[in-house]
Amino acid sequence: MQGKEIRLQGVSMRFGDFIAVHETDLTIAAGEFFSILGPSGCGKTTILRMISGFLTPTTGQVLIGGKDLTAVGPNKRPTALIFQNLALFPLMSVWENVAFGLEARGIGRRERRKRAEDLLDLVALTEHAGKKPTALSGGQRQRVAIARALAVEPSVLLLDEPLSALDLKLRQHMRAELKQIQRKTGVTFVYITHDQGEALTMSDRIAVMNAGRIEQVAPTSEIYNAPATSFVATFVGEHNVFRGRVEGLENGMAQVNTPLGRLLGMNRDDLKPGEEAMIFVRPERIGLVSQTPTLGNRLQAAVERRDLEGPYLNVFMRAGEHQIVMHMTNAGNNVSDLSGEQSVGFACEDALVLRAGELAGE
Amino acid sequence: MSSLIRSYGGVLAALFGGLTLLWIIGLIVLPQLNMIQRAFIWEARDGAAQQAGVDLERAYQKIATLDYDIRAAKRDIERGSAPSAAPSPSDPFAVSPGAPSPGGLASSETPDKRIVRLESERTELQGQINPLKERFGRLKIEEAEASGYSIKNFTTMSPLHWRIFGMTIFYAFCVTLLSFLFCYPIAYTIARTQKEIHVAFFMLGIIIPYALNELLRIFAWTMILANEGILNSALDTLGLIDLESGEAIRWLASNGAVFCVLMYTYILFMIFPMYNTIETLDKNQIEAARDLGASTWRIHSRVVIPHAKPGIAVGAIMTFMLSAGSISVPGLVGPGLHPDWFSQIIYRNFFEAGNWNIGAAQSLLLLVACTIFILIVLRFFRVGIQEIAR
Amino acid sequence: MSMTANTAMAASTPRRGSSIAWSDVLLNIYILIFFLYLFVPLLIMIGAAFNVNSTPSITDWQGFTLDWFTGEVDEETGRVIAKGLPQEDRFLQGLWHSVIIALGVVAIAIPLGLSGALVLTRLQSGSTTFLYTLLISPILTPGIVLGVTTMIFWRDIFSVEAGLFTTMIAHSTFIASYCMLMFMARLQRQDRGLEEAALDLGASNVMVFRRITLPFLRPTILTAAVIGFLQSMENYNTTFFAIGGSWTLVTEIGSRMRFGLTPVINAIGVIFIVITVVAAVAWVFFRKREKG
């Protein structure tokens, strides 16, 4: 098996008056574990179905391995799709399920059986080969679906939220397993999810989608540390947000006038004075002035609640209209009696000034 | 069509589409159109022109027969021998009532006299030929002008037949209404029964009589209703009538018998759709209504019946259609004793009178009546045609 | 009769106060009468099948006999003493005709009904409702009209005289509609994802249909075949108009009811009832076992 590159050129999808996907260019490298992350209804499944061939894009081309496959049906593409509900064939046994793709390619029964068993070996289901899928557990069914998709030796494996039906523990286990299979096979994985945890732990790169548009495509760490838009910033991980207007600029930084006073942060969007802006600060980057006196931005806030979450302490504070969340490392009893009015702050380098826009979950 | 090709691919889409079209066109639309066309073509089958044609033909044949007899008589004279009782060709038309039989008189008649008599007969017939020809031609033209597309098949239907048509529709409506009234409590009870085993018993109780053929069900009733049947025997035993002295009540001769048996025969089609819809009603709705102090009547009129509308509509449509179009019940329950049903009129036009076009017109009438009933029911219950699926 | 009593008992719903109990009593009486209405004629018919009297009757009882089922033939002379079912050639011939017609109907109606259902469930077009109405219209058309139209159509267009073939066609017209409704109900519960998964794995459309859709529909095809077969066997109104000079078991029963009643008809009825009860009980048990 050899992964192939996927290239979407000016692809868009329109259903009647509704635009599911706006014109999009996207390149997914061969052998990459690529995730498309976004809330439900953002158009990520539509993109997946255009890659797999179930939908023909309204405009643009879909190229796989450099070949234009826009008009080619799903049964003639080098892709395999793992469905959200798995779509195992209930009337066929496990091995017949796995061997179905081989049957479609006209491979003889004996050869099919042998290759199906090899794959079932890979996913540790050998002894269940003769059972019906309904007789298996959720995790086992999951693995049958993977084996079935891999049986056709696809260059691209498309996964449509395949873990959403599993419980938390199994989900975490399957994440590791998927990642391992991807490394072993070298197939290009395109993984659709609305769960940022899944995307962050497994992917090489992530595309964050919202309302039919890709907002950012970047390696995992960059998505987290340097979100490109207000939506990405708030959809991936937590952020404290302060709204205001840019007042001044100084060496790559922007000074923003907010109801809580002037705050300084990295001017990522090259905003000009007078423009609407938002400042984003991760909860773990906020600290007490008393512990770190060098913090460039400072606020007065009243502690409302403290939740101890093992290694962290989550502190919820209120400053005027704003709720501020602070994550502190649990380093002993230094923080456990935090209460009342506190002076908190964050470094200017840890604050991100972006153009005011849509926030996730609004 | 493109959505079909996307779903099934070109080959299968063509196969499924083709078979569906074959069904629609070959089995549904064209036969109906053919019937409608016939219904609107007036065909003078047993008309005056045809009769005149037959008369003309008979006259020609008679003349031919006389010619044969005359030649035979002449041959007898030439031979001078005794008349050899010339047998005329056996022709059914030759022996017309009143005309003397040539064979019968041959022995008491000399050949000369016979020739004279036959010749005079021939002349007389010859004289009739031209008027007949003229009449035939005239009638033929008249009827040719009259035939073709017309609504005569409907307008010439006798008032009696119209009355039978009206009564059939009316009776079918009554059967439908009564079936509903009788079946509703049953359907409701079965639908409300909790234990599955009890439901199974009810179902068996209804299915067993209906798995039996329609005719056998009718037959069972004729045994009850016959003059020497069980009902009269029972009345006899009770002393209400005396069978010995011929006091039998002729149940089979009444429309009531047809009525009763029709209901018996088609009740299933009322119960099942109603049962299916009432069963889906949330029990809590009834409990809630009862808690709010609604009377039994109000619970049914405001909660159960509105919910069961699609089922009632389907049941009513099926029962009406089956009753109005039934040939089995009116044809087999005391045949010929009670007034006809419209289906029997249609049957006679096709298979006894040979008036196919009139039969087609009457079938069309029945079809239209059923269609109107369906539309009325759908409108009355505010049910869409898609909901008519079991 | 014990069964009707049982079912009547089953109707008693939980009582709530005496006012409701009264209506329950009335309802139970009504149900009892209703089931008597259903079953008494059957019992009478069954009874007459075993009466020596050659006119079907139970009031004029002349002794018990099985002759109407088995017939009685003098073994030495071969003379028929009692004309039972085996000696009634027209009944047997009619049964054979009925079976031929019913088999033909199944062979025609299943493909047509299946195609109609497959087209209707996937056709995305404004004319779907119209098409649906057209395809179920045979169910809503009086049977005699179907018989008449088929008979004249085949005579006028193809010069085919009324007979077994026209009857087969006339039956298929409406039985296909019933089959279609059954297939549509099944197809609505189908997971489209399965077909997509098969396509995605490289299957052709034909293979998807053969390996996924058809196996999914198989139980319904079987049920539809059985129901279609029985409907065709049972039919009288349509058959009566489309059969022409030939006859089926049912039309033969019909003409015997008009001319020449014989308890053999009762015997046939008893056989029908026995088959039905056995089949129904088997079906209930089978379903119970399937449900687990």
Side-chain angles (χ1 to χ4, degrees):
Chain A
M1 281 181 249
Q2 191 62 53
K4 281 186 179 162
E5 181 203 65
I6 302 165
R7 188 182 292 242
L8 307 183
Q9 289 178 340
V11 161
S12 76
M13 189 72 214
R14 178 191 280 273
F15 299 108
D17 287 338
F18 174 68
I19 300 174
V21 174
H22 294 269
E23 275 208 14
T24 298
D25 293 301
L26 178 67
T27 304
I28 300 169
E32 190 175 24
F33 198 125
F34 190 89
S35 289
I36 301 177
L37 176 65
S40 57
C42 70
K44 56 189 194 297
T45 300
T46 307
I47 287 195
L48 192 79
R49 291 174 74 80
M50 287 193 289
I51 297 174
S52 61
F54 288 113
L55 289 175
T56 310
T58 314
T59 66
Q61 281 102 47
V62 178
L63 286 77
I64 298 175
K67 265 193 246 161
D68 184 354
L69 299 179
T70 316
V72 173
N75 48 0
K76 299 199 177 68
R77 293 193 186 197
T79 59
L81 175 58
I82 296 183
F83 289 73
Q84 189 165 10
N85 66 354
L86 305 182
L88 296 179
F89 307 129
L91 301 174
M92 298 182 201
S93 67
V94 166
W95 84 262
E96 282 176 313
N97 261 281
V98 175
F100 185 86
L102 305 173
E103 189 183 336
R105 283 160 179 73
I107 292 167
R109 188 182 161 89
R110 185 169 300 175
E111 172 72 8
R112 288 206 306 262
R113 175 98 210 204
K114 199 190 149 295
R115 279 163 70 177
E117 272 169 0
D118 288 348
L119 277 160
L120 287 173
D121 224 19
L122 180 77
V123 294
L125 283 174
T126 320
E127 72 270 33
H128 300 293
K131 289 185 186 164
K132 288 274 157 68
T134 42
L136 301 184
S137 71
Q140 288 169 330
R141 280 207 290 272
Q142 189 75 58
R143 296 208 289 270
V144 175
I146 294 168
R148 186 178 73 176
L150 289 175
V152 298
E153 305 193 345
S155 307
V156 175
L157 193 67
L158 306 164
L159 303 99
D160 186 4
E161 307 211 23
L163 304 184
S164 56
L166 303 182
D167 61 50
L168 182 67
K169 240 192 163 148
L170 205 51
R171 203 151 62 212
Q172 283 170 343
H173 174 75
M174 287 307 296
R175 281 182 198 172
E177 204 158 312
L178 278 176
K179 184 76 192 158
Q180 202 188 350
I181 290 172
Q182 196 265 333
R183 282 219 193 90
K184 240 193 250 174
T185 58
V187 170
T188 311
F189 271 44
V190 181
Y191 193 96
I192 295 288
T193 184
H194 67 273
D195 180 336
Q196 44 160 315
E198 276 179 13
L200 291 172
T201 48
M202 290 190 285
S203 322
D204 299 321
R205 283 199 305 154
I206 297 175
V208 181
M209 277 193 82
N210 181 37
R213 286 197 171 82
I214 292 183
E215 300 242 339
Q216 186 175 13
V217 183
T220 315
S221 59
E222 199 180 317
I223 290 280
Y224 189 80
N225 293 325
T229 67
S230 57
F231 178 83
V232 177
T234 42
F235 189 75
V236 182
E238 266 186 277
H239 261 124
N240 290 296
V241 187
F242 307 97
R243 290 161 191 271
R245 199 177 287 279
V246 176
E247 282 209 328
L249 306 171
E250 42 183 277
N251 31 334
M253 302 252 184
Q255 197 176 47
V256 183
N257 196 11
T258 74
L260 299 179
R262 287 205 187 114
L263 299 172
L264 205 60
M266 307 298 291
N267 188 6
R268 190 65 53 100
D269 276 352
D270 266 336
L271 297 179
K272 301 282 176 294
E275 283 189 273
E276 295 270 352
M278 287 176 168
I279 301 189
F280 297 90
V281 192
R282 295 267 177 214
E284 66 266 27
R285 300 300 166 98
I286 293 185
L288 293 169
V289 177
S290 59
Q291 286 178 351
T292 325
T294 54
L295 296 175
N297 295 303
R298 296 180 183 200
L299 305 161
Q300 287 299 312
V303 175
E304 288 192 323
R305 203 175 88 230
R306 298 188 310 259
D307 292 348
L308 183 65
E309 202 181 89
Y312 305 106
L313 180 76
N314 297 341
V315 184
F316 298 91
M317 293 179 289
R318 182 156 289 283
E321 296 283 287
H322 286 75
Q323 181 164 49
I324 297 171
V325 185
M326 179 167 72
H327 290 179
M328 301 181 77
T329 319
N330 183 2
N333 57 5
N334 57 334
V335 291
S336 56
D337 55 351
L338 203 64
S339 64
E341 282 280 319
Q342 294 287 340
S343 180
V344 296
F346 48 90
C348 303
E349 293 76 22
D350 288 340
L352 207 56
V353 178
L354 296 173
R355 181 171 284 112
E358 192 188 340
L359 302 180
E362 272 190 343
Chain B
M1 202 58 202
S2 65
S3 54
L4 289 184
I5 294 175
R6 211 177 318 125
S7 289
Y8 303 119
V11 179
L12 290 177
L15 178 68
F16 300 148
L19 281 173
T20 309
L21 274 184
L22 182 74
W23 179 16
I24 292 178
I25 294 174
L27 298 188
I28 301 174
V29 172
L30 284 185
Q32 293 291 346
L33 285 180
N34 183 54
M35 179 187 80
I36 292 170
Q37 188 190 19
R38 266 183 175 273
F40 286 101
I41 291 180
W42 171 252
E43 199 183 34
R45 285 177 68 91
D46 289 334
Q50 205 185 353
Q51 198 53 52
V54 171
D55 289 347
L56 186 63
E57 193 63 22
R58 270 186 201 181
Y60 276 128
Q61 284 195 8
K62 269 186 189 168
I63 289 172
T65 311
L66 288 171
D67 284 345
Y68 178 90
D69 288 347
I70 291 167
R71 273 201 303 281
K74 280 181 178 163
R75 266 202 307 278
D76 285 347
I77 294 169
E78 280 165 20
R79 283 186 211 149
S81 62
S84 65
S88 59
S90 68
D91 176 6
F93 297 126
V95 191
S96 50
S101 159
L105 292 172
S107 52
S108 60
E109 211 176 19
T110 64
D112 293 335
K113 275 188 182 169
R114 243 183 93 187
I115 288 171
V116 173
R117 182 179 57 81
L118 289 172
E119 298 240 283
S120 73
E121 272 179 31
R122 193 182 183 284
T123 321
E124 195 186 326
L125 272 171
Q126 198 69 53
Q128 287 175 14
I129 288 282
N130 272 341
L132 274 174
K133 254 189 185 167
E134 207 173 288
R135 196 170 114 82
F136 177 59
R138 196 183 68 239
L139 284 172
K140 234 175 123 178
I141 291 165
E142 271 176 17
E143 286 188 357
E145 278 167 357
S147 79
Y149 287 100
S150 84
I151 53 166
K152 261 191 167 172
N153 284 330
F154 299 93
T155 52
T156 55
M157 202 163 98
S158 72
L160 175 70
H161 288 183
W162 278 108
R163 217 181 82 83
I164 290 172
F165 174 66
M167 289 312 276
T168 301
I169 299 303
F170 174 70
Y171 281 139
F173 180 77
C174 293
V175 168
T176 309
L177 194 65
L178 284 177
S179 292
F180 167 70
L181 293 177
F182 283 130
C183 293
Y184 178 78
I186 305 291
Y188 178 76
T189 308
I190 303 176
R192 297 288 87 192
T193 303
Q194 313 263 353
K195 281 195 183 170
E196 213 169 302
I197 185 77
H198 291 168
V199 176
F201 266 120
F202 271 126
M203 282 299 160
L204 272 182
I206 293 173
I207 290 170
I208 288 172
Y210 284 93
L212 191 60
N213 188 275
E214 184 179 327
L215 293 199
L216 294 170
R217 271 178 272 153
I218 297 168
F219 177 57
W221 272 97
T222 58
M223 285 180 61
I224 296 178
L225 298 173
N227 284 355
E228 309 279 318
I230 289 154
L231 192 54
N232 278 341
S233 303
L235 293 175
D236 183 49
T237 315
L238 290 173
L240 294 175
I241 56 170
D242 185 8
L243 279 182
E244 300 281 307
S245 58
E247 272 184 40
I249 299 175
R250 300 181 69 203
W251 301 103
L252 288 179
S254 67
N255 270 326
V258 178
F259 219 89
C260 170
V261 180
L262 270 180
M263 262 180 57
Y264 184 78
T265 312
Y266 299 124
I267 266 180
L268 176 81
F269 294 92
M270 189 57 108
I271 288 192
F272 261 115
M274 273 205 287
Y275 164 75
N276 284 339
T277 47
I278 297 176
E279 201 209 4
T280 61
L281 176 66
D282 184 5
K283 280 185 188 63
N284 294 333
Q285 282 192 33
I286 296 172
E287 300 288 311
R290 191 164 284 157
D291 269 355
L292 293 171
S295 64
T296 306
W297 165 252
R298 192 165 277 275
I299 287 171
H300 285 281
S301 65
R302 303 282 298 180
V303 181
V304 185
I305 293 182
H307 179 84
K309 266 182 183 175
I312 298 172
V314 173
I317 287 170
M318 293 305 283
T319 312
F320 179 86
M321 184 273 285
L322 289 167
S323 306
S326 176
I327 182 91
S328 55
V329 177
L332 299 174
V333 173
L337 296 177
H338 55 77
D340 276 326
W341 274 56
F342 200 58
S343 53
Q344 291 170 287
I345 309 280
I346 296 176
Y347 180 80
R348 271 194 222 119
N349 269 320
F350 274 104
F351 299 104
E352 283 165 22
N355 285 328
W356 281 27
N357 287 8
I358 294 177
Q362 290 169 341
S363 303
L364 184 62
L365 220 48
L366 186 63
L367 186 61
V368 168
C370 287
T371 310
I372 290 173
F373 182 82
I374 290 170
L375 293 178
I376 290 173
V377 167
L378 292 182
R379 173 62 68 86
F380 180 75
F381 287 102
R382 294 173 202 284
V383 175
I385 189 89
Q386 278 98 336
E387 290 174 71
I388 305 187
R390 290 198 297 172
Chain C
M1 248 5 264
S2 66
M3 194 174 68
T4 42
N6 261 338
T7 48
M9 293 301 288
S12 58
T13 45
R15 312 236 150 136
R16 296 180 155 204
S18 57
S19 61
I20 292 173
W22 264 114
S23 64
D24 272 6
V25 169
L26 279 178
L27 186 62
N28 281 354
I29 293 173
Y30 175 71
I31 288 166
L32 187 68
I33 293 174
F34 186 85
F35 278 95
L36 283 176
Y37 173 65
L38 288 187
F39 275 86
V40 166
L42 299 193
L43 295 175
I44 291 166
M45 202 184 63
I46 293 171
F50 300 98
N51 190 353
V52 171
N53 192 340
S54 64
T55 309
S57 167
I58 59 163
T59 43
D60 185 10
W61 190 259
Q62 299 178 356
F64 179 88
T65 182
L66 286 176
D67 282 352
W68 308 119
F69 293 88
T70 59
E72 200 180 332
V73 182
D74 189 321
E75 276 178 28
E76 282 168 30
T77 61
R79 198 173 58 84
V80 177
I81 298 167
K83 218 176 172 197
L85 194 49
Q87 286 79 41
E88 292 282 5
D89 292 338
R90 275 185 69 91
F91 278 132
L92 298 176
Q93 189 69 35
L95 177 65
W96 176 235
H97 290 161
S98 292
V99 170
I100 292 173
I101 291 170
L103 287 177
V105 167
V106 169
I108 297 170
I110 297 277
L112 293 185
L114 185 56
S115 299
L118 288 166
V119 166
L120 280 182
T121 44
R122 292 291 166 81
L123 191 64
Q124 283 157 5
S125 151
S127 57
T128 310
T129 306
F130 173 71
L131 207 59
Y132 177 81
T133 311
L134 207 56
L135 288 176
I136 64 159
S137 68
I139 296 181
L140 306 173
T141 307
I144 62 171
V145 176
L146 284 180
V148 161
T149 52
T150 309
M151 179 195 72
I152 2 180
F153 178 69
W154 285 84
R155 199 136 118 216
D156 285 354
I157 309 294
F158 303 104
S159 306
V160 175
E161 286 298 327
L164 299 189
F165 177 74
T166 49
T167 310
M168 202 185 283
I169 297 292
H171 285 183
S172 302
T173 308
F174 75 93
I175 290 175
S177 302
Y178 279 114
C179 293
M180 185 187 81
L181 289 180
M182 286 188 260
F183 290 130
M184 281 179 79
R186 179 78 175 165
L187 284 170
Q188 264 149 25
R189 284 187 284 131
Q190 189 193 19
D191 178 7
R192 291 280 293 273
L194 294 183
E195 290 184 7
E196 291 192 339
L199 273 182
D200 187 65
L201 292 168
S204 64
N205 283 302
V206 175
M207 183 178 169
V208 171
F209 184 72
R210 192 172 55 81
R211 294 284 277 134
I212 309 294
T213 316
L214 215 49
F216 173 76
L217 288 171
R218 186 161 295 143
T220 315
I221 293 177
L222 269 177
T223 318
V226 171
I227 291 180
F229 186 88
L230 291 178
Q231 270 186 323
S232 169
M233 290 280 289
E234 297 260 304
N235 185 280
Y236 180 73
N237 289 322
T238 304
T239 314
F240 192 53
F241 277 77
I243 195 73
S246 190
W247 71 95
T248 66
L249 178 63
V250 174
T251 59
E252 182 59 19
I253 292 174
S255 57
R256 283 308 187 83
M257 281 167 67
R258 300 211 264 179
F259 325 100
L261 277 177
T262 159
V264 173
I265 297 177
N266 299 61
I268 293 173
V270 171
I271 293 170
F272 263 103
I273 292 175
V274 169
I275 292 174
T276 311
V277 173
V278 169
V281 169
W283 186 74
V284 167
F285 271 92
F286 182 70
R287 248 186 44 153
K288 266 250 161 79
R289 248 188 41 191
E290 280 228 318
K291 277 186 182 171

